[in-house]
Each structure stands twice: as C-alpha cells, then as structure tokens.
Amino acid sequence: MPILVKTGVNENGTPEWGFIELQGDLEVRGEQSMAGQFIGDLYYTKYGQPILIIGHHILHGREVTMEKPFAVLQKVVQHQNDEEPDEQNMEIDVNQSISDSQVLDATVAIENKSKHKTEYIVKAIVKKKLIFRARPKPIIANMAKK
C-alpha cells in the first residue's frame, strides 16, 4: 500500500505529492485496514533530511526526485443522450402480450442512443520519493537522575 504525502503545489496550481518507501512491513494490531489510518509524524531536518516517527520508533531517510513522475488521475464518465427516450415505445399495454425479446430490443435501442464521454482529471503529480531503508531505532526518553 503506497503512503502518499502532500509536498506542495507546482507553478500550475496542481498539488505535488510524494510517496514513502519503507523497508520491511508495516503492521497494525487487530484486523483493521490501514487505509486512511494515522501512521506517524513526518519531519524534515534543517538539511532537508526526512525523519519519520512511528510510535516509539524513529526512522531516518532521504528524499529522491524520481526520473519519471507519476500522475494521480481521476476517471470521470459522463453520459450524454442525443435524444430523450421515446416514451411511446416504452409504454406497454397490459392487454397485449409482449415477449422478453421485444422488451430487450427496446432497451438495447435506448442504450445505443446514449454516448459515454470519459475524461481523466489530473489530481496531483508525484515527483518525490521518501526512502527509509534503515531499521527503526527506538526512542528512549532521558530519565532524570536523583
């Protein structure tokens, strides 16, 4: 499962995202899905090095610009009708017996009148990858000595 991070907005106003690459597995307690869950906190040092804190563990990583960026697309399907369906053809006389094939033919004829227009909207561009290859180190709080 990719972990997406919002990194900014480019000059065209399109959001720029990055994604996090972790070594190993990230597991959750229980049988819940990780989609939409809080994972941890992401910080940057003054040198631009990313630091990921997950629970009581810290990971040091590096930011890499990808050779070929990805585009995050949203598929939008629009239905356009050339004509409104002919209501006279759809009316069924109760006294008249109609076979299933006649009803099917009328339905197919109406469906063929409609056109589908599909377009893809660019939601974001993924240009950066945050790589965390080292093992997580435990965070140990300093205890005050008496």
Side-chain angles (χ1 to χ4, degrees), residues 74-92:
Q74 178 184 9
K75 183 178 180 180
V76 178
V77 179
Q78 296 176 348
H79 302 286
Q80 298 175 340
N81 292 330
D82 289 341
E83 300 175 15
E84 292 297 319
D86 189 5
E87 295 297 328
Q88 294 176 354
N89 292 340
M90 293 304 294
E91 290 180 7
I92 298 174

Side-chain angles (χ1 to χ4, degrees), residues 9-140:
V9 178
N10 67 8
E11 60 277 356
N12 298 331
T14 306
E16 288 189 2
W17 292 357
F19 68 88
I20 295 177
E21 181 179 307
L22 297 172
Q23 175 192 9
D25 295 327
L26 188 60
E27 296 179 2
V28 214
R29 292 184 185 150
E31 297 187 18
Q32 55 183 310
S33 171
M34 286 184 55
Q37 296 292 322
F38 175 76
I39 305 273
D41 295 312
L42 178 66
Y43 299 100
Y44 284 88
T45 65
K46 62 181 177 181
Y47 304 109
Q49 181 183 20
I51 295 174
L52 183 62
I53 298 176
I54 301 175
H56 297 290
H57 294 87
I58 186 168
L59 294 109
H60 295 277
R62 62 186 172 101
E63 185 176 88
V64 177
T65 302
M66 298 170 35
E67 289 181 27
K68 295 182 180 181
F70 293 115
V72 179
L73 303 175
Q74 178 184 9
K75 183 178 180 180
V76 178
V77 179
Q78 296 176 348
H79 302 286
Q80 298 175 340
N81 292 330
D82 289 341
E83 300 175 15
E84 292 297 319
D86 189 5
E87 295 297 328
Q88 294 176 354
N89 292 340
M90 293 304 294
E91 290 180 7
I92 298 174
D93 186 5
V94 178
N95 298 329
Q96 179 184 2
S97 64
I98 295 180
S99 68
D100 290 337
S101 64
Q102 289 174 331
V103 173
L104 182 62
D105 290 342
T107 306
V108 170
I110 290 172
E111 287 178 358
N112 286 337
K113 288 182 182 178
S114 66
K115 292 183 181 179
H116 303 290
K117 179 182 176 186
T118 304
E119 59 182 39
Y120 295 91
I121 299 171
V122 177
K123 298 301 271 184
I125 304 292
V126 180
K127 289 187 176 182
K128 299 192 182 212
K129 179 167 49 170
L130 306 174
I131 301 174
F132 296 93
R133 294 188 187 248
R135 290 180 148 277
K137 297 176 182 151
I139 300 174
I140 301 173

